[in-house]
Structures are given as C-alpha cells and as structure tokens.
Amino acid sequence: MAKNAAHSAAAADATPLSENGTSLYVHVPFCVSKCSYCDFNSWELHDGGALERTVDALLAETRIRAKGLRPQTVFLGGGTPSLLPPNLVGKLLDGLHDATDFRNSSLETTLEANPESFDFETARAAFGGGVTRASIGVQSLRPDVLRAYDRVHTASAARQAFFTARKAGFQRINVDLIYSFPGQNSEEWFEDLEEVMAWEPEHLSCYELSYEPGTPLTKAKDSGLIKAENRDVALQLFNETRARCESRGLSAYEVSNFAMPGEECLHNLAGWRSLDCVGVGAGAVTWQGGVRRKNLAKPEDWIRSVESGAEQAHVERPGATTRMFDCFLMGLRLCKEGVSISRVFQQTGLHPKEVWAKELESLFGESLLLEEGDFIRATPRGLRILDSVLGQLLPAGSGGEFTSEQV
Ligand code: SF4
C-alpha cells in the first residue's frame, strides 16, 4: 500500500517536488523595527555586529544539522534577510552551499526582502550566490496604511525594490500585500492590487489583516482605538481579490497565494504537503520523520546555544492522529489541490476515510469538502469557514499524543 500510495500522490503532482525530498529553512531574525501586526519571531536590530554572529551561528548549525542535505528547496526568511549587507549575504550563501550542496540540488531558493534594505548590491549578492526567487514585503502602497502598520519604507521604495530585483536578474518575484485594513476604502485596496499586478510579478501573496495575540494592532483594537473590518466587507474583498488575480492569470492555488502557471512557491508547497524541512536559526522549526523540533526563539539565547556546541531545542513527537490532522490543517489551504489521501497514509500510516468516516461523511454531505480521486479538498464554501471545518476533525485529546524534551 505504501508503494502504491507514494505512486499515486506523485502521479497527481505536476510540480517537480519529490515526496521524499527535504527542504531547508534559514531564519534571519532581525528587522529595522517591529511592524504593528507582526507576531513572527523578529527582533529590532540594535547592533550591526549581531548580523555577523547570526551568520556564523547559522552556518555552524547548518554544518551540524544539515550537512550533505541536498535540499530540494531553500527559503531564507525572517525577520528581514535583506538586512544582511552584501558581503554577509555572500558569506551565508557560500557557507550554506559548502554544507548542503544546495546550488546543485535546490529547485528554488527564495530570499525574503523588505524595500528599505533591498538595494542593487544586496540583490546582486543574493542572485549571484544562488538565490533564484525574491519575495518582497510591500504590504500597501498607501502612506497612511504603511504608517499604521509601522512599516519603515515608503510606497516608492517598494516600487523601486521590485524593479531592483528585476534589474539584478530575478525572473521569479513574489510580492506580499495585506488587505482589510480597518475602514480602508475598498477602491484604494484594488488600486494597490492593480498597480502591483501591472508590475507583472510571477507570484502574489494577499493576506487578510489578522489580529494576533499581543501585537500593538490587536491592543489598539481591543482598546477600541480601531475596529476590525466588517466580516461581510472582508469576504467581499477576499472574493474580488481572487477574481481580479485570476483575470490576470495569477491562479489562486492557496487561500492567500496566487501564481502564474508553474510559478507556485515550491518551498511553501512542500510545507503545505507536510514534506520534511530542516529549519536553522532562532525559533526555526524542523519537521523531519514525524518529529517536530523548535529552536530557542531569542536570537542571543539561540546563538549562545549553538556556540556552546550543545544546542538546546524543544522536541515533540506527535502521534499519528495529530499528524494526520496537521496534514489536513496544512493541505486544505491548497484550494485547487487539497490533501492527498495516499500521501497522508504514507506519512502517518492512517487512512482518513477510516479514522474520520462519520466526520468526513458529514462534511461531504454539507458540501464543505469534496473528494476527487486521491484528493480531499475544501469547496469554495468550506474554504471560507476552514477553521470550523477543521474544528470537526480536531482529534479529541490530541495534546496527550505529544512528548516534549530538551535536547
Ligand atoms: S518586516 Fe516582516 S518580520 Fe519584520 S517586523 Fe515587519 S512583518 Fe515582522
């Protein structure tokens, strides 16, 4: 069954990703300053020397944990990796290649960049060092919205960053945008979207503004200073955004992600398919062989831990039902593809239609999920209420399946 399962997941896959391949994620945890909506593991950079120590520690950790990995995708994320000066971009990429051979193995190597720090020299250092895809955090082209997000760049810097990436040689560029800013005129959002699409990026990420616990934006909402966008308006923005992207050839392949044909982000696709990934850097997560490992989050703690030669991390071994739920949590976001039943079996040893016979029957009956060949995916209606769909599959007492340890 496992052999057939692997065959049928691969047969339905038009991308070059291997079911048995492993990705590499490299986390650069610093930013110029913290954005008001951000709950990523990112920290304001106060001391330029921290960047050099971070690169050294990233390379040391890669040599220990990813030596000879030959990753099928690489993603340098953050934080703001473009904050690294060109010489450190070059040092990091050379060191990653020496340890993992990524320049010969990786199908796609992405660098996240922000407009305030993505000049031509940095872009050239990245491109020349083996980065094949740039992902630029634009978020908005409105000065008032950028200010409310505490972004440190202007709209014109964002435009410039995009064309700098092109000039440096990047033929694959993603732009990140956020919609549903409280009270924003819808027309302004669509003007931003249309302008960005006119730049002709190969990929677009359009996220609805989310209020994560503890962020300044959430505090402003909770104290009544701002009011979250009305759900009906947000839904209308979501639907029209998808329609406009599709009309320009940017296909909605994930809830918030749009790509020209063949331009899907392979690294993220591997993650949504729950394929293995080694993460290095502060707070980075590794998912490999059914074991999840999370590095220490604070950059200084993580650097010391790596430098000590006995790195600490939090390790979990989730049980099979939890892993199957995670496959659905990630995979149902892929609106055109969904979750491969045979891949779930291959990864967990469980068959979702046996374990969740009643639950899936009910979700199929309510037209929230549908089954097509080897795949289960959300219907347009199911996609809009994905949290509640997943709530019906949540394994009771799944927390009991975890074991944690410090290593
Ligand atoms: S630039 Fe990105 S990672 Fe850094 S604070 Fe802003 S949203 Fe967070």
Side-chain angles (χ1 to χ4, degrees):
M1 172 74 183
K3 197 168 167 223
N4 292 341
H7 172 73
S8 76
D13 181 9
T15 69
L17 283 173
S18 156
E19 293 294 304
N20 301 314
T22 302
S23 294
L24 176 67
Y25 176 77
V26 181
H27 191 73
V28 178
F30 296 108
C31 294
V32 172
S33 72
K34 190 89 180 168
C35 301
S36 60
Y37 56 84
C38 178
D39 76 334
F40 299 140
N41 188 37
S42 63
W43 305 74
E44 280 186 19
L45 181 70
H46 297 297
D47 162 21
L51 292 177
E52 179 126 37
R53 285 185 70 211
T54 297
V55 167
D56 288 341
L58 283 171
L59 294 178
E61 190 183 10
T62 304
R63 285 191 291 270
I64 293 165
R65 301 195 31 245
K67 184 125 187 87
L69 184 69
R70 294 186 51 79
Q72 64 174 340
T73 65
V74 179
F75 197 100
L76 291 92
T80 305
S82 59
L83 260 187
L84 297 173
N87 66 316
L88 286 186
V89 170
K91 178 177 176 179
L92 177 60
L93 292 167
D94 285 349
L96 289 175
H97 174 67
D98 289 346
T100 68
D101 198 31
F102 86 88
R103 287 176 188 144
N104 295 317
S105 68
S106 177
L107 299 164
E108 167 193 285
T109 299
T110 301
L111 175 103
E112 281 190 329
N114 275 314
E116 70 278 2
S117 56
F118 201 44
D119 56 22
F120 184 72
E121 287 67 32
T122 308
R124 274 307 291 177
F127 188 72
V131 175
T132 57
R133 184 173 180 272
S135 176
I136 304 173
V138 170
Q139 319 309 356
S140 172
L141 296 175
R142 303 280 147 182
D144 54 330
V145 178
L146 289 171
R147 262 197 307 279
Y149 289 161
D150 291 335
R151 300 286 296 178
V152 291
H153 61 85
T154 59
S156 62
R159 292 179 184 104
Q160 201 175 332
F162 182 89
F163 292 104
T164 296
R166 276 280 189 257
K167 204 166 134 208
F170 286 101
Q171 293 180 7
R172 303 188 68 201
I173 305 180
N174 168 60
V175 173
D176 277 350
L177 293 172
I178 301 176
Y179 66 92
S180 218
F181 183 71
Q184 186 185 17
N185 179 330
S186 304
E187 281 317 305
E188 290 184 357
W189 156 249
F190 290 119
E191 273 174 30
D192 281 6
L193 179 64
E194 292 293 344
E195 177 179 339
V196 169
M197 288 194 295
W199 302 348
E200 301 186 346
E202 287 68 32
H203 191 283
L204 254 186
S205 301
C206 299
Y207 298 103
E208 181 181 343
L209 180 62
S210 65
Y211 295 87
E212 305 302 334
T215 64
L217 204 71
T218 302
K219 286 180 190 154
K221 177 174 75 75
D222 292 346
S223 64
L225 279 173
I226 57 167
K227 200 161 166 276
E229 192 53 276
N230 171 290
R231 286 311 309 151
D232 290 342
V233 174
L235 182 58
Q236 189 204 330
L237 293 173
F238 173 81
N239 286 332
E240 189 168 342
T241 298
R242 290 168 80 79
R244 288 190 186 221
C245 287
E246 293 273 2
S247 76
R248 292 272 200 147
L250 287 155
S251 171
Y253 70 104
E254 195 263 354
V255 177
S256 309
N257 284 279
F258 307 87
M260 299 302 280
E263 294 294 341
E264 295 85 0
C265 175
L266 293 177
H267 182 86
N268 287 343
L269 207 48
W272 289 315
R273 290 178 184 170
S274 300
L275 304 183
D276 284 357
C277 179
V278 173
V280 295
V285 173
T286 293
W287 174 246
Q288 203 173 21
V291 179
R292 183 180 293 119
R293 167 200 163 102
K294 189 168 192 298
N295 285 354
L296 299 182
K298 279 193 187 162
E300 193 52 41
D301 293 349
W302 164 76
I303 288 174
R304 283 214 193 98
S305 162
V306 173
E307 285 174 350
S308 75
E311 194 188 351
Q312 286 203 312
H314 181 76
V315 175
E316 292 173 341
R317 292 183 167 77
T321 321
T322 301
R323 281 189 279 130
M324 182 168 73
F325 176 78
D326 287 348
C327 289
F328 274 72
L329 179 74
M330 302 300 280
L332 285 180
R333 298 187 62 87
L334 293 169
C335 29
K336 298 222 158 110
E337 176 176 312
V339 180
S340 156
I341 297 169
S342 54
R343 182 182 294 123
V344 170
F345 183 82
Q346 194 191 6
Q347 292 177 349
T348 68
L350 297 179
H351 198 302
K353 286 180 68 185
E354 285 168 12
V355 179
W356 291 329
K358 229 171 61 204
E359 291 85 349
L360 287 174
E361 199 57 41
S362 146
L363 289 163
F364 293 146
E366 291 172 73
S367 299
L368 293 171
L369 295 183
L370 60 84
E371 187 182 6
E372 201 170 60
D374 180 45
F375 289 85
I376 293 175
R377 63 171 181 272
T379 63
R381 201 161 75 83
L383 212 54
R384 288 198 293 271
I385 53 165
L386 207 47
D387 286 351
S388 124
V389 170
L390 287 163
Q392 295 189 48
L393 302 177
L394 194 64
S398 60
E401 292 189 300
F402 287 99
T403 57
S404 297
E405 61 198 76
Q406 293 289 114
V407 295

